[in-house]
């Protein structure tokens, strides 16, 4: 589905969607140095749209740029306001937001230092990333032959444009074989994350996820699920684990802003549990949607209302 909207925020002002253009010599287009975020706004049960965990997303955007030695020419508060203004200008309720920071045209070559740092915020209406059917009934996943980047070759804690070539290769590889998502191992053979989501397994009531100090991106949805699990007095353990631990898990699910909370029913042709979303997965999925789209106010600090 083609992306459409009325307005895009670009370098400090709202402009018509069709006018948001860059030169073909834009540095980031050639070399991949840039940072972005994926954020969702939901229309809640009372009809009011609220952006979910906006402050945390924008902080991570600034962290990513700091890692890349890119100085954003706006404050965090200004980018937060830009996100709110973009949603309002387009009249959206439910929508996806993509703030992106990139180097414009000017110098070429890897050492270019004088190119202008440019910033845009785009919003569009986008359903769940892995599909509504997958959200309800689970998806099929496959371990990719492409390993997740080592922590000393790429900066894992930055949501950096060029890093996603690694994810694209993994995603395309498994989709060509009939799967919906790729699971990626780190360079030592332990499970890292999916191509665009963090991963959780459940075994005998214990929830296990990969540690934040490894090769994973520190997901904001991951943090949300960990907090919601703790709110329910569920035991959450961060530890390294192998692919065969996924095979014998009772439940497996992936989380991310785009994918939300999506169960996995099969990995590498092995059925997970009984092949349907498990009870803890469904409970955490329900809790998540109660907080983003329902009427839950337990974590009111996660919500930034647009109106």
């Amino acid at each position: 589905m083609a992306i459409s909207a009325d307005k895009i925020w670009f370098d400090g002002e709202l402009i018509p969607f069709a006018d948001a253009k860059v030169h073909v010599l834009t540095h980031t287009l050639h070399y991949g140095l840039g940072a972005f975020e994926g954020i969702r706004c939901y229309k809640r049960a009372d009809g009011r749209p609220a952006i979910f965990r906006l402050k945390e997303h924008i902080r991570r955007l600034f962290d990513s740029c700091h890692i890349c030695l890119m100085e954003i020419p706006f404050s965090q508060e200004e980018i937060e306001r830009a996100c709110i203004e973009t949603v309002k200008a387009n009249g959206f309720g439910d929508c996806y937001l993509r703030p992106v920071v990139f180097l414009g045209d000017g110098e070429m070559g890897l050492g270019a230092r004088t190119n202008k740092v440019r910033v845009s915020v785009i919003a569009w209406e986008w359903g769940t990333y892995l599909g509504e059917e997958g959200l309800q009934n689970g998806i099929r996943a496959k371990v990719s032959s492409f390993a997740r980047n080592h922590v000393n070759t790429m900066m894992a804690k930055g949501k950096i444009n060029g890093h996603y070539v690694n994810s694209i290769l993994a995603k395309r590889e498994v989709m060509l074989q009939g799967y919906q998502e790729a699971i990626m191992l780190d360079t030592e053979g332990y499970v890292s994350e999916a191509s665009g989501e963090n991963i959780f397994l459940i075994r005998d009531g214990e929830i296990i996820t990969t540690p934040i100090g490894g090769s994973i991106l520190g997901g904001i949805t991951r943090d949300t699920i960990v907090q919601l699990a703790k709110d329910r007095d569920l035991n959450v353990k961060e530890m390294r684990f192998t692919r065969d631990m996924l095979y014998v898990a009772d439940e497996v699910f992936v989380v991310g802003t785009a994918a939300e909370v999506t169960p996995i029913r099969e990995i590498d042709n092995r059925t997970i549990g009984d092949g349907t979303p498990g009870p803890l997965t469904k409970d955490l999925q329900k809790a998540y949607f109660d907080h983003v789209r329902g009427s839950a106010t337990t974590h009111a600090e996660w919500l930034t209302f647009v109106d």
Side-chain angles (χ1 to χ4, degrees):
M1 183 179 70
I3 293 170
S4 64
D6 293 329
K7 300 285 187 180
I8 287 177
W9 190 93
F10 202 179
D11 288 341
E13 61 179 329
L14 287 163
I15 63 173
F17 182 90
D19 293 344
K21 299 176 181 178
V22 296
H23 197 277
V24 72
L25 284 172
T26 295
H27 193 277
T28 302
L29 176 64
H30 292 258
Y31 300 114
L33 186 68
F36 70 96
E37 277 298 317
I39 311 171
R40 280 197 187 268
C41 178
Y42 292 91
K43 182 179 284 189
R44 287 174 52 81
D46 62 4
R48 299 173 67 196
I51 302 174
F52 190 65
R53 304 201 68 172
L54 176 61
K55 290 184 181 297
E56 292 90 340
H57 278 288
I58 300 306
R59 178 180 180 182
R60 188 173 66 179
L61 179 69
F62 274 73
D63 287 346
S64 297
C65 289
H66 182 67
I67 289 168
C68 292
L69 296 173
M70 297 173 64
E71 185 173 348
I72 299 177
F74 300 94
S75 68
Q76 292 189 40
E77 291 75 18
E78 287 173 315
I79 302 302
E80 289 171 19
R81 174 51 55 183
C83 290
I84 296 167
E85 290 175 355
T86 303
V87 175
K88 291 177 70 174
N90 288 289
F92 289 144
D94 285 6
C95 66
Y96 182 86
L97 286 151
R98 171 56 56 83
V100 59
V101 183
F102 61 98
L103 295 181
D105 58 297
E107 286 188 73
M108 291 298 285
L110 301 183
R113 297 295 302 275
T114 63
N115 299 52
K116 181 180 178 180
V117 176
R118 309 197 68 182
V119 187
S120 185
V121 177
I122 310 101
W124 67 90
E125 295 175 314
W126 199 18
T128 190
Y129 178 59
L130 294 170
E132 287 295 329
E133 198 277 334
L135 201 66
Q136 295 300 317
N137 300 315
I139 61 168
R140 298 177 68 237
K142 181 173 177 57
V143 173
S144 173
S145 68
F146 293 94
R148 178 55 86 209
N149 297 315
H150 189 275
V151 294
N152 284 333
T153 60
M154 294 289 188
M155 301 292 98
K157 296 305 168 277
K159 195 171 176 69
I160 297 167
N161 297 41
H163 287 14
Y164 279 76
V165 172
N166 181 236
S167 293
I168 291 167
L169 291 171
K171 179 85 169 181
R172 290 186 174 187
E173 175 190 43
V174 303
M175 288 183 72
L176 287 169
Q177 298 176 59
Y179 300 86
Q180 286 83 44
E181 187 53 285
I183 294 172
M184 304 186 71
L185 309 181
D186 64 23
T187 53
E188 295 180 73
Y190 293 91
V191 174
S192 176
E193 56 190 340
S195 69
E197 306 88 26
N198 295 125
I199 190 165
F200 289 77
L201 72 84
I202 299 170
R203 171 86 178 195
D204 296 331
E206 185 173 62
I207 301 171
I208 300 172
T209 191
T210 42
I212 199 72
S215 60
I216 69 168
L217 178 69
I220 290 165
T221 309
R222 174 189 180 278
D223 178 75
T224 300
I225 293 301
V226 168
Q227 184 58 59
L228 292 175
K230 290 179 178 178
D231 290 348
R232 283 153 178 73
D233 295 323
L234 297 171
N235 184 24
V236 181
K237 180 184 292 185
E238 294 190 22
M239 59 174 277
R240 301 175 87 185
F241 56 88
T242 56
R243 75 175 81 180
D244 50 2
M245 288 181 68
L246 291 174
Y247 298 160
V248 299
D250 300 321
E251 307 175 41
V252 179
F253 61 94
V254 291
V255 304
T257 296
E260 297 164 317
V261 181
T262 299
I264 295 181
R265 70 175 190 270
E266 181 186 309
I267 299 172
D268 291 348
N269 302 311
R270 280 101 166 160
T271 300
I272 304 303
D274 66 2
T276 64
L280 286 180
T281 298
K282 289 193 289 187
D283 180 58
L284 290 168
Q285 185 188 66
K286 181 180 183 300
Y288 178 78
F289 283 113
D290 282 348
H291 281 79
V292 300
R293 185 176 281 141
S295 56
T297 56
T298 309
H299 293 283
E301 71 278 8
W302 289 346
L303 305 173
T304 300
F305 288 95
V306 171
D307 55 358

